[in-house]
Amino acid sequence: MLESTQTIKEQFSLLLDKAASTAELESLKVEFLGKKGKIAALMNELKALPADRKREAGQVINQTKQLIEQRLHEKTEELAMREEQRLIEAAESYDESLPTELSLGSYHPITLIQREVEQIFASMGFYVEDYDEVVDDYHCFEALNIPKHHPARDMQDTYYLDNGQLLKTHTSAAQNYIMRKYGAPVRAIFPGRCFRNESTDACHENTFFQLEGIMIDRNISISNLIYFMKTMLSEVFRQDITVRLRPGFFPFVEPGFELDIRCTICGGAGCPSCKNSGWLELCPCGMIHPNVLTAGGIDPEEYTGFAFGLGLTRLAMMKYGIKDIRVLNSGNLRALSQFIDA
Ligand code: FA5
């Protein structure tokens, strides 16, 4: 029995010296101190010994067991300290100024162009506002001088929801809200996503962005409107571009205009991006109709104003030379991440 305990101690010492992890210590514990371990086996042998030798042998086995427990405990503490030391050293040697392997993301061209136009108008004293994408009939049509059954409703193919609300077809839906919020005088822009149930091609999407603007004050005239449109476009393009203004009909402005840009993709020769016309409708605008001012709680006898509805998605196409509008909603990162420094 004494010899057996000596052998067990030697085996244990050898294995303990090699153990380098808490998992290895745990399996040593099972091997030597577990229910079916070496110490338990010796205890079983004890039963067969004559009574006069049992006491002494029992003491030797217990001492061996205690020694193993003690050394396992010490080694566990030692490993824990070593691990702590390793973590401290790793933290001290971590150099946060070293370049990482991560590749940087990029902004979507719509985000880039939206921010740019927002900055231009903010520097001219315009508030930048946000508005819902799900709106009601009143804000999208009625408050804009488009009563129910008015033929102008057919100009935009609307997505209606089961609850009677609809997806905003144009950012003009926020005009009434802005007028009621600020009263007059006011100058504000409000970008937003618009939805129309129409078939897509190189210059039409069913989900696209507009950026609406209104300016209302005493004595606002068409020349103010033209000044702000010119300033915005020359700052966005920072190069000569050709625009044309022609009469346009929208029930919420009088007079109304279509502001077109000569296609920057083909230079005016005609291509799919401009439906072969050489021109792209970019920013309809006009003087706000008196009925719309009245609906917004503003006295049309005292105040006048202009409004415009910039096609932000088309502006991005023209600025960045994107030939097909559908790329912008495609999620194609290779195509969309080129504009990081634009
Ligand atoms: C309107 O949405 C008017 N609310 C604009 C307006 C505002 C007029 C204030 C007067 C005063 P229109 O449907 O033409 O108008 O759209 C305005 C611009 O949004 C277009 O010139 C075009 O640049 C862009 N746009 C319209 N439909 C689409 C489409 N399906 N895909 C991409 N861009 C579009």
Side-chain angles (χ1 to χ4, degrees):
M1 184 66 68
L2 284 175
E3 274 171 27
S4 302
T5 53
Q6 189 54 35
T7 315
I8 286 177
K9 278 196 261 182
E10 282 166 10
Q11 280 178 352
F12 174 74
S13 282
L14 273 173
L15 292 170
L16 188 71
D17 285 347
K18 281 192 211 153
S21 69
T22 45
E24 285 173 84
L25 292 184
E26 198 52 40
S27 70
L28 275 186
K29 189 174 171 186
V30 173
E31 185 180 342
F32 286 87
L33 303 177
K35 274 187 192 160
K36 294 179 182 168
K38 294 186 190 295
I39 296 292
L42 283 182
M43 286 294 197
N44 270 338
E45 286 175 27
L46 206 59
K47 293 174 198 159
L49 286 183
D52 59 332
R53 289 189 52 207
K54 255 190 194 160
R55 195 157 177 262
E56 187 197 357
Q59 276 177 350
V60 174
I61 296 170
N62 264 334
Q63 281 166 1
T64 309
K65 184 183 172 206
Q66 279 165 12
L67 182 87
I68 291 175
E69 281 172 347
Q70 171 70 18
R71 294 201 58 199
L72 274 173
H73 176 72
E74 285 168 5
K75 183 90 186 210
T76 306
E77 300 244 295
E78 183 192 320
L79 285 183
M81 270 179 61
R82 263 197 245 160
E83 177 63 8
E84 197 179 314
Q85 192 59 32
R86 192 187 66 75
L87 289 175
I88 290 170
E89 279 167 18
E92 281 171 355
S93 64
Y94 174 68
D95 183 352
E96 61 188 25
S97 66
L98 283 176
T100 62
E101 294 290 312
L102 293 175
S103 60
L104 289 177
S106 60
Y107 287 110
H108 193 281
I110 298 290
T111 307
L112 291 171
I113 199 88
Q114 180 177 326
R115 287 187 178 176
E116 195 172 347
V117 178
E118 281 177 4
Q119 271 166 17
I120 293 167
F121 278 103
S123 72
M124 296 190 288
F126 282 69
Y127 297 121
V128 180
E129 277 286 336
D130 199 11
Y131 194 60
D132 302 338
E133 291 185 341
V134 175
V135 297
D136 57 24
D137 187 275
Y138 177 77
H139 285 89
C140 205
F141 300 120
E142 285 195 42
L144 291 167
N145 200 29
I146 314 176
K148 288 208 165 43
H149 313 299
H150 191 288
R153 288 194 180 214
D154 298 338
M155 289 164 74
Q156 300 170 359
D157 298 303
T158 310
Y159 287 109
Y160 286 95
L161 306 181
D162 290 346
N163 65 2
Q165 289 185 298
L166 46 111
L167 297 184
K168 184 169 71 184
T169 55
H170 55 172
T171 41
S172 305
Q175 281 194 16
N176 183 268
Y177 161 79
I178 303 287
M179 288 179 204
R180 295 246 161 226
K181 180 170 176 183
Y182 293 107
V186 63
R187 40 176 96 180
I189 55 165
F190 24 107
R193 196 158 55 148
C194 305
F195 308 86
R196 294 187 193 174
N197 189 4
E198 57 184 62
S199 43
T200 63
D201 59 30
C203 58
H204 288 86
E205 256 291 10
N206 50 26
T207 304
F208 58 96
F209 285 80
Q210 288 184 345
L211 185 143
E212 188 95 357
I214 57 171
M215 179 174 184
I216 301 169
D217 207 335
R218 293 184 178 90
N219 303 320
I220 295 292
S221 67
I222 295 174
S223 50
N224 298 111
L225 166 63
I226 292 172
Y227 167 80
F228 280 102
M229 294 299 94
K230 269 189 174 172
T231 307
M232 182 264 296
L233 289 173
S234 63
E235 292 208 21
V236 168
F237 285 97
R238 289 182 222 118
Q239 64 174 41
D240 276 348
I241 43 141
T242 313
V243 294
R244 72 178 183 194
L245 202 62
R246 58 192 169 92
F249 170 72
F250 302 92
F252 33 95
V253 283
E254 181 55 42
F257 305 99
E258 287 282 3
L259 189 152
D260 305 331
I261 181 173
R262 178 170 284 162
C263 181
T264 58
I265 308 286
C266 62
C271 68
S273 309
C274 57
K275 279 198 158 175
N276 292 314
S277 70
W279 295 91
L280 207 64
E281 286 178 6
L282 184 69
C283 188
C285 48
M287 299 304 293
I288 302 175
H289 195 287
N291 291 351
V292 176
L293 290 173
T294 306
I298 293 171
D299 182 359
E301 297 293 325
E302 193 178 353
Y303 291 101
T304 50
F306 67 73
F308 61 89
L310 174 66
L312 203 59
T313 307
R314 287 201 186 153
L315 186 64
M317 286 174 73
M318 292 294 105
K319 167 141 184 172
Y320 300 123
I322 299 167
K323 290 186 182 145
D324 194 315
I325 197 170
R326 290 165 290 199
V327 169
L328 290 159
N329 283 351
S330 68
N332 178 343
L333 291 183
R334 273 188 65 203
L336 294 170
S337 61
Q338 313 164 35
F339 306 101
I340 193 161
D341 294 318

